[in-house]
Amino acid sequence: MAKTRPGKRDIDSYTIRGTNKVVRAGDCVLMRPSDTGKPPYVARIEKIEMDGRNNVKVRVRWYYRPEESIGGRRQFHGAKELFLSDHYDVQSAHTIEGKCTVHSFKNYTKLENVGAEDYYCRFEYKAATGGFTPDRVAVYCKCEMPYNPDDLMVQCEGCKDWYHPACVGMTIEEAKKLDRFVCSECSSDEDVKKPQITFSASPAADAKVEPKRRRR
């Protein structure tokens, strides 16, 4: 007679091995990659289950780093940027190394201090096709690129657009010393009004939000 397969049951939480950190469904975690030379994978836990032998597995939805996507990393992708993919897996809970936080793009740009476990996501990614949602985002500067929160930008007092210092012939050091900035188009307009500018804001503050594992 065949043995009955041990049943599985959902559990509310799991304590990461070797730590006192508890993870639950909905939490984002760092998971050990198969290649020790790679950074940890990032995933969102969808469900935690235990079998009759107390083995714990987690169903996860993977985040992809830009370099792992079909299009690869582009200039406007930040160092801490991730894409929420439609790629799901079931993994041993023992591969979880720690917890992390994946912020919305807008909330990430408001962080005063970015920690090692802070990431952000502004796109959902279809792993099979390389498609992104949203497929259109706000662009800035002469180069017409989406905002990269790692890059310093200056805002024109006239048109209110944001510019990379290099795109307007400045170094980053020069840009940091500016009290005000007027782009070349606005500086040629004698009628432009020049209100005072503050540099505490960023393009993400009032813009539209843009656009590891086993491979399938």
Side-chain angles (χ1 to χ4, degrees):
M1 181 181 293
K3 294 182 178 179
T4 302
R5 187 175 180 179
K8 297 180 180 180
R9 60 186 177 89
D10 292 347
I11 58 177
D12 292 332
S13 63
Y14 169 77
T15 302
I16 301 174
R17 187 163 60 175
T19 76
N20 60 357
K21 295 181 178 179
V22 177
V23 295
R24 296 177 171 82
D27 286 344
C28 293
V29 293
L30 303 170
M31 304 191 76
R32 185 169 61 250
S34 54
D35 185 343
T36 55
K38 291 184 177 181
Y41 296 140
V42 182
R44 188 175 73 191
I45 296 176
E46 302 293 309
K47 185 170 71 169
I48 309 172
E49 61 182 24
M50 179 184 290
D51 64 21
R53 297 177 180 176
N54 293 330
N55 296 313
V56 180
K57 292 187 178 296
V58 288
R59 176 172 168 80
V60 298
R61 184 176 180 181
W62 294 114
Y63 286 95
Y64 278 43
R65 290 183 171 85
E67 55 269 25
E68 297 167 335
S69 68
I70 291 176
R73 179 173 287 279
R74 299 182 61 187
Q75 179 183 343
F76 64 88
H77 291 142
K80 307 302 290 288
E81 183 157 8
L82 302 171
F83 310 144
L84 181 61
S85 78
D86 58 353
H87 180 181
Y88 294 82
D89 261 333
V90 175
Q91 300 278 322
S92 168
H94 290 166
T95 62
I96 299 175
E97 295 183 333
K99 296 179 71 173
C100 63
T101 302
V102 181
H103 302 270
S104 70
F105 182 54
K106 187 173 183 178
N107 287 346
Y108 179 85
T109 63
K110 295 179 179 179
L111 293 179
E112 292 186 5
N113 297 295
V114 177
E117 284 76 42
D118 286 314
Y119 298 87
Y120 69 90
C121 176
R122 55 179 157 181
F123 295 109
E124 291 193 14
Y125 174 69
K126 294 188 179 298
T129 65
F132 289 93
T133 304
D135 59 359
R136 293 184 181 183
V137 294
V139 295
Y140 303 91
C141 191
K142 294 180 178 180
C143 62
E144 295 189 343
M145 294 293 287
Y147 176 49
N148 181 342
D150 299 336
D151 293 341
L152 172 71
M153 298 186 81
V154 293
Q155 188 179 33
C156 172
E157 295 179 350
C159 62
K160 302 302 182 184
D161 200 358
W162 291 81
Y163 293 87
H164 301 107
C167 293
V168 291
M170 286 189 293
T171 65
I172 292 177
E173 290 69 27
E174 289 170 338
K176 288 180 178 179
K177 295 177 182 178
L178 285 178
D179 290 327
R180 57 173 58 187
F181 168 71
V182 180
C183 72
S184 58
E185 290 187 11
C186 290
S187 63
S188 64
D189 183 352
E190 297 179 353
D191 297 326
V192 67
K193 294 181 180 180
K194 299 181 178 180
Q196 288 295 319
I197 180 175
T198 61
F199 288 90
S200 59
S202 69
D206 56 2
K208 294 176 291 183
V209 176
E210 192 178 11
K212 357 237 166 191
R213 299 148 305 247
R214 297 194 302 267
R215 294 290 187 183
R216 292 196 287 191

